[in-house]
Amino acid sequence: MKSFVLAMDQGTTSSRSIIFDERSAVVASAQQEFAQIYPQPGWVEHDAEVIWQTQLATAQKAIARAQLSSVQLTAIGITNQRETVVVWDRRTGKPIHNAIVWQDRRTADHMDRLKTPPYLALIRERTGLLPDPYFSASKLAWLLDHIEGARAAAKAGHLACGTIDSWLIYRLTEGARHCTDVSNASRTMLFNIRTGMWDDELLGLFNIPRSMLPDVVDSSGLIGHTAATLFGAKVPIAGMAGDQQAALFGQLCLKPGQTKNTYGTGCFMLAQTGENPVMSEADLLTTVAWRLAGQPMQYALEGSVFVAGAAIQWLRDGLGIIASAPEVNQLAQSVDDSAGVMVVPAFAGLGAPHWDPHARASILGMTRGTTSAHIARATLEGIAFRVAEVLEAMQRDMDRALVGLRVDGGAAASDLLMQIQADILGIEIERPHVTETSALGAAYLAGLAVGVWPDCDALAAHWKRDRTFNPATTSATRQKRLARWRQAVALVKEWSS
Ligand code: ADP
């Protein structure tokens, strides 16, 4: 009998379900967007019930589209927006408040107070993260402190919390399982990434009762079964990981040094570092990649660029020089080079390795001959230069030169951007056939656990190249261009200081 694996991909703006067959080809999919809730400037929430309902509806739709009966589903894997946190009441199974989303900055003051050396060192050492409202811990503390009766209910053991994976598992199993995998746990700021356990000192620091927390499980392993009512039969849930870690797995970056970069609204670069949690000198994040059943925890280094595809959207919406994002390619290709124009796309400050929240985006080096095409091309180059800076920092931290980079995400569809990236990095860029890498990674994690694939080696043959981009510049040209870029970044930082 053929095997099919359902991946639930719960993202920030939509819930999606994709069914893969045993050759990891997409059999069917369904997607549903849901509302973003902005109660105040800087606050972002999701209705956790809506997250569950849209996720369930897309899974049911995908199963129907694939014309499968649930008995033919061998397993389910879950991947999800990370850090976003839900608190619910065990007595009713209902959330006590909307989920607080990773983008939410309401706890900025709280986290500022933890940027002093002793807290900073504790957080860095135990969690591999940096004090920032982005992670779950301060959001969870906020819910306990601001929702009426929450603290007392938590103390009495009535409340449960978790990231979106936990919430979905809880609902899928009708409350039978309350758990999270190591990769999601590592984004909460309450998890010791070395011991693989919740950390009492951090729980004390954020005043979170341990009784609220989910059990921590493997990213690949039998976790539980769905309630029979949902899909007509009980289906094993056997894999879960946060979206970026799942993408790293989906790209089959399974050996230390293998790296993927996702070009979405922003960029997320993750490098596999094996059993070794590499601490960064450039303030990159150290995070858990995954843990396969019976195997040691695997780690990754993570660096992000806040604005990547969003800079292309700015060309469309802010400047109006293109009508759609893909049009950037025709416009930028209409000139041979950017004729000395440089765009530093620091629309939301500069992340790793600069960490300058005050930096502002800039266009430098224009002449009377500059056209929209030069600006479009320089914008693509600016994205590629930022990615190069993160990659350089990773290479330094890992003390090894990377030989290749696997790419995915919406803007990785741009052949021009990928060629520019290869030229700036001087390494080979590989774009896979399936770019839904988070969903694919979740499917792989689940399928491995139930024997759809015997081991990781068997998966290696599944990685199918769509296209390779090879550097077409000399090392000297590359160095010259990078030096020029560094000059531009220095100017931008000085301007905003
Ligand atoms: P996210 O998951 O962050 O919403 P996606 O992976 O869907 O993002 O990628 C969307 C981004 O990709 C947009 O910011 C858009 O500007 C960019 N994009 C989409 N298609 C193309 C294309 N053909 N060429 C260049 N950029 C593109």
Side-chain angles (χ1 to χ4, degrees), residues 13 262-266 268 308-314 316 325-329 380 408-415 417:
T13 57
T262 301
Y263 296 80
T265 309
F268 282 97
I312 298 167
Q313 292 170 330
W314 175 76
R316 183 191 64 195
E327 269 184 33
V328 70
N329 301 305
L380 296 182
D408 51 55
S414 165
D415 290 350
L417 175 59

Tab-separated table of all heavy atoms in Angstrom, residues 13 262-266 268 308-314 316 325-329 380 408-415 417, ligand 1:
chain	number	residue	atom	x	y	z
A	13	THR	N	0.410	34.121	8.710
A	13	THR	CA	-0.753	34.723	8.048
A	13	THR	C	-1.734	33.695	7.506
A	13	THR	O	-2.849	34.046	7.156
A	13	THR	CB	-0.297	35.639	6.883
A	13	THR	OG1	0.489	34.851	5.991
A	13	THR	CG2	0.512	36.805	7.381
A	262	THR	N	16.115	31.194	3.666
A	262	THR	CA	14.759	31.393	3.182
A	262	THR	C	14.572	32.875	2.866
A	262	THR	O	14.800	33.723	3.732
A	262	THR	CB	13.751	30.943	4.264
A	262	THR	OG1	13.991	29.564	4.548
A	262	THR	CG2	12.322	31.134	3.804
A	263	TYR	N	14.207	33.168	1.608
A	263	TYR	CA	13.979	34.554	1.188
A	263	TYR	C	12.487	34.823	1.192
A	263	TYR	O	11.794	34.572	0.213
A	263	TYR	CB	14.523	34.792	-0.223
A	263	TYR	CG	16.021	34.640	-0.369
A	263	TYR	CD1	16.592	33.374	-0.481
A	263	TYR	CD2	16.855	35.749	-0.415
A	263	TYR	CE1	17.959	33.221	-0.628
A	263	TYR	CE2	18.231	35.608	-0.564
A	263	TYR	CZ	18.773	34.341	-0.668
A	263	TYR	OH	20.123	34.186	-0.807
A	264	GLY	N	11.971	35.288	2.319
A	264	GLY	CA	10.559	35.670	2.401
A	264	GLY	C	10.480	37.166	2.604
A	264	GLY	O	11.286	37.917	2.041
A	265	THR	N	9.535	37.604	3.425
A	265	THR	CA	9.433	39.007	3.808
A	265	THR	C	10.794	39.456	4.339
A	265	THR	O	11.325	40.495	3.969
A	265	THR	CB	8.366	39.154	4.908
A	265	THR	OG1	7.184	38.506	4.450
A	265	THR	CG2	8.098	40.590	5.229
A	266	GLY	N	11.346	38.635	5.239
A	266	GLY	CA	12.729	38.787	5.698
A	266	GLY	C	13.475	37.531	5.277
A	266	GLY	O	12.923	36.689	4.578
A	268	PHE	N	15.718	34.165	6.666
A	268	PHE	CA	16.126	33.350	7.806
A	268	PHE	C	17.186	32.379	7.333
A	268	PHE	O	16.912	31.519	6.496
A	268	PHE	CB	14.942	32.555	8.358
A	268	PHE	CG	14.013	33.378	9.195
A	268	PHE	CD1	12.868	33.924	8.653
A	268	PHE	CD2	14.302	33.609	10.539
A	268	PHE	CE1	12.016	34.694	9.429
A	268	PHE	CE2	13.458	34.375	11.320
A	268	PHE	CZ	12.307	34.920	10.770
A	308	ALA	N	13.786	41.716	3.480
A	308	ALA	CA	14.365	41.178	2.240
A	308	ALA	C	13.316	41.344	1.144
A	308	ALA	O	13.268	42.378	0.472
A	308	ALA	CB	14.773	39.729	2.447
A	309	GLY	N	12.410	40.380	0.996
A	309	GLY	CA	11.322	40.513	0.025
A	309	GLY	C	10.502	41.775	0.280
A	309	GLY	O	9.946	42.367	-0.655
A	310	ALA	N	10.466	42.197	1.531
A	310	ALA	CA	9.713	43.414	1.866
A	310	ALA	C	10.299	44.641	1.168
A	310	ALA	O	9.580	45.611	0.906
A	310	ALA	CB	9.693	43.625	3.379
A	311	ALA	N	11.599	44.609	0.849
A	311	ALA	CA	12.205	45.735	0.123
A	311	ALA	C	11.685	45.755	-1.310
A	311	ALA	O	11.504	46.824	-1.916
A	311	ALA	CB	13.735	45.605	0.138
A	312	ILE	N	11.420	44.572	-1.859
A	312	ILE	CA	10.836	44.493	-3.212
A	312	ILE	C	9.399	45.012	-3.165
A	312	ILE	O	8.945	45.724	-4.067
A	312	ILE	CB	10.910	43.036	-3.738
A	312	ILE	CG1	12.374	42.602	-3.839
A	312	ILE	CG2	10.192	42.897	-5.076
A	312	ILE	CD1	12.587	41.117	-4.043
A	313	GLN	N	8.707	44.693	-2.080
A	313	GLN	CA	7.348	45.217	-1.906
A	313	GLN	C	7.360	46.744	-1.802
A	313	GLN	O	6.442	47.408	-2.252
A	313	GLN	CB	6.696	44.608	-0.664
A	313	GLN	CG	6.410	43.120	-0.842
A	313	GLN	CD	5.982	42.453	0.457
A	313	GLN	OE1	6.380	42.859	1.542
A	313	GLN	NE2	5.156	41.425	0.339
A	314	TRP	N	8.433	47.268	-1.221
A	314	TRP	CA	8.548	48.730	-1.132
A	314	TRP	C	8.728	49.351	-2.514
A	314	TRP	O	8.164	50.412	-2.804
A	314	TRP	CB	9.708	49.105	-0.201
A	314	TRP	CG	9.968	50.580	-0.153
A	314	TRP	CD1	9.237	51.533	0.513
A	314	TRP	CD2	11.020	51.284	-0.825
A	314	TRP	NE1	9.775	52.777	0.305
A	314	TRP	CE2	10.864	52.652	-0.512
A	314	TRP	CE3	12.071	50.893	-1.655
A	314	TRP	CZ2	11.731	53.635	-1.001
A	314	TRP	CZ3	12.934	51.860	-2.133
A	314	TRP	CH2	12.760	53.208	-1.811
A	316	ARG	N	7.394	48.253	-5.051
A	316	ARG	CA	6.041	48.180	-5.622
A	316	ARG	C	5.109	49.215	-4.961
A	316	ARG	O	4.501	50.027	-5.652
A	316	ARG	CB	5.497	46.760	-5.400
A	316	ARG	CG	4.128	46.493	-5.992
A	316	ARG	CD	3.588	45.179	-5.474
A	316	ARG	NE	3.374	45.247	-4.024
A	316	ARG	CZ	3.190	44.198	-3.236
A	316	ARG	NH1	3.201	42.982	-3.730
A	316	ARG	NH2	2.994	44.362	-1.947
A	325	ALA	N	5.629	42.028	-7.400
A	325	ALA	CA	6.990	41.660	-6.967
A	325	ALA	C	7.798	40.993	-8.096
A	325	ALA	O	8.949	41.391	-8.328
A	325	ALA	CB	6.929	40.783	-5.719
A	326	PRO	N	7.229	40.015	-8.816
A	326	PRO	CA	8.050	39.364	-9.865
A	326	PRO	C	8.543	40.335	-10.941
A	326	PRO	O	9.567	40.085	-11.579
A	326	PRO	CB	7.091	38.329	-10.472
A	326	PRO	CG	6.095	38.051	-9.392
A	326	PRO	CD	5.932	39.338	-8.646
A	327	GLU	N	7.855	41.471	-11.131
A	327	GLU	CA	8.278	42.449	-12.154
A	327	GLU	C	9.636	43.068	-11.860
A	327	GLU	O	10.269	43.653	-12.739
A	327	GLU	CB	7.250	43.582	-12.260
A	327	GLU	CG	6.184	43.313	-13.279
A	327	GLU	CD	5.238	44.501	-13.414
A	327	GLU	OE1	5.687	45.654	-13.248
A	327	GLU	OE2	4.056	44.248	-13.667
A	328	VAL	N	10.080	42.965	-10.601
A	328	VAL	CA	11.380	43.537	-10.248
A	328	VAL	C	12.471	42.934	-11.133
A	328	VAL	O	13.454	43.596	-11.476
A	328	VAL	CB	11.708	43.321	-8.748
A	328	VAL	CG1	11.997	41.859	-8.431
A	328	VAL	CG2	12.874	44.188	-8.325
A	329	ASN	N	12.271	41.687	-11.512
A	329	ASN	CA	13.311	40.987	-12.265
A	329	ASN	C	13.504	41.566	-13.660
A	329	ASN	O	14.634	41.814	-14.078
A	329	ASN	CB	13.004	39.494	-12.288
A	329	ASN	CG	12.933	38.935	-10.877
A	329	ASN	OD1	13.878	39.093	-10.110
A	329	ASN	ND2	11.806	38.344	-10.516
A	380	LEU	N	17.966	44.513	-5.176
A	380	LEU	CA	18.267	43.068	-5.144
A	380	LEU	C	19.688	42.846	-4.609
A	380	LEU	O	19.932	41.951	-3.802
A	380	LEU	CB	18.120	42.452	-6.543
A	380	LEU	CG	16.710	42.472	-7.148
A	380	LEU	CD1	16.711	41.780	-8.516
A	380	LEU	CD2	15.688	41.812	-6.232
A	408	ASP	N	15.228	28.833	-0.439
A	408	ASP	CA	13.788	28.657	-0.633
A	408	ASP	C	13.100	29.971	-0.291
A	408	ASP	O	13.755	30.973	-0.054
A	408	ASP	CB	13.261	27.481	0.220
A	408	ASP	CG	13.669	27.583	1.679
A	408	ASP	OD1	13.386	28.610	2.308
A	408	ASP	OD2	14.296	26.637	2.196
A	409	GLY	N	11.764	29.967	-0.248
A	409	GLY	CA	11.004	31.185	0.046
A	409	GLY	C	10.610	31.908	-1.238
A	409	GLY	O	11.172	31.647	-2.319
A	410	GLY	N	9.635	32.818	-1.123
A	410	GLY	CA	9.041	33.480	-2.282
A	410	GLY	C	10.034	34.171	-3.201
A	410	GLY	O	9.956	34.041	-4.426
A	411	ALA	N	11.003	34.894	-2.626
A	411	ALA	CA	11.911	35.674	-3.463
A	411	ALA	C	13.034	34.810	-4.054
A	411	ALA	O	13.752	35.260	-4.948
A	411	ALA	CB	12.493	36.845	-2.672
A	412	ALA	N	13.156	33.555	-3.571
A	412	ALA	CA	14.144	32.647	-4.174
A	412	ALA	C	13.706	32.249	-5.580
A	412	ALA	O	14.475	31.647	-6.332
A	412	ALA	CB	14.353	31.416	-3.302
A	413	ALA	N	12.459	32.598	-5.937
A	413	ALA	CA	11.972	32.336	-7.304
A	413	ALA	C	12.696	33.228	-8.309
A	413	ALA	O	12.691	32.952	-9.507
A	413	ALA	CB	10.474	32.596	-7.383
A	414	SER	N	13.323	34.305	-7.821
A	414	SER	CA	13.995	35.240	-8.724
A	414	SER	C	15.360	34.692	-9.155
A	414	SER	O	16.305	34.642	-8.362
A	414	SER	CB	14.182	36.592	-8.022
A	414	SER	OG	15.114	37.375	-8.742
A	415	ASP	N	15.474	34.302	-10.438
A	415	ASP	CA	16.757	33.811	-10.954
A	415	ASP	C	17.830	34.883	-10.838
A	415	ASP	O	18.986	34.608	-10.524
A	415	ASP	CB	16.628	33.408	-12.427
A	415	ASP	CG	15.784	32.155	-12.596
A	415	ASP	OD1	15.471	31.497	-11.577
A	415	ASP	OD2	15.433	31.838	-13.748
A	417	LEU	N	18.039	37.435	-8.624
A	417	LEU	CA	18.501	37.593	-7.242
A	417	LEU	C	19.442	36.442	-6.864
A	417	LEU	O	20.474	36.662	-6.218
A	417	LEU	CB	17.300	37.654	-6.285
A	417	LEU	CG	17.621	37.702	-4.788
A	417	LEU	CD1	18.486	38.907	-4.431
A	417	LEU	CD2	16.330	37.722	-3.952
B	1	ADP	P1	6.495	35.123	3.782
B	1	ADP	O1	6.472	33.636	4.040
B	1	ADP	O2	7.464	35.894	4.621
B	1	ADP	O3	5.146	35.751	3.722
B	1	ADP	P2	7.118	34.366	1.034
B	1	ADP	O4	8.093	33.257	1.174
B	1	ADP	O5	5.739	34.068	0.568
B	1	ADP	O6	7.101	35.300	2.313
B	1	ADP	O7	7.783	35.417	-0.006
B	1	ADP	C1	7.160	36.619	-0.295
B	1	ADP	C2	8.208	37.661	-0.706
B	1	ADP	O8	8.842	37.250	-1.887
B	1	ADP	C3	7.575	39.001	-0.969
B	1	ADP	O9	8.148	39.945	-0.108
B	1	ADP	C4	7.891	39.315	-2.440
B	1	ADP	O10	8.413	40.620	-2.554
B	1	ADP	C5	8.929	38.316	-2.829
B	1	ADP	N1	8.704	37.701	-4.151
B	1	ADP	C6	7.706	36.880	-4.526
B	1	ADP	N2	7.856	36.486	-5.812
B	1	ADP	C7	8.997	37.044	-6.258
B	1	ADP	C8	9.731	37.010	-7.496
B	1	ADP	N3	9.304	36.296	-8.551
B	1	ADP	N4	10.867	37.723	-7.571
B	1	ADP	C9	11.317	38.430	-6.514
B	1	ADP	N5	10.677	38.495	-5.343
B	1	ADP	C10	9.543	37.821	-5.201
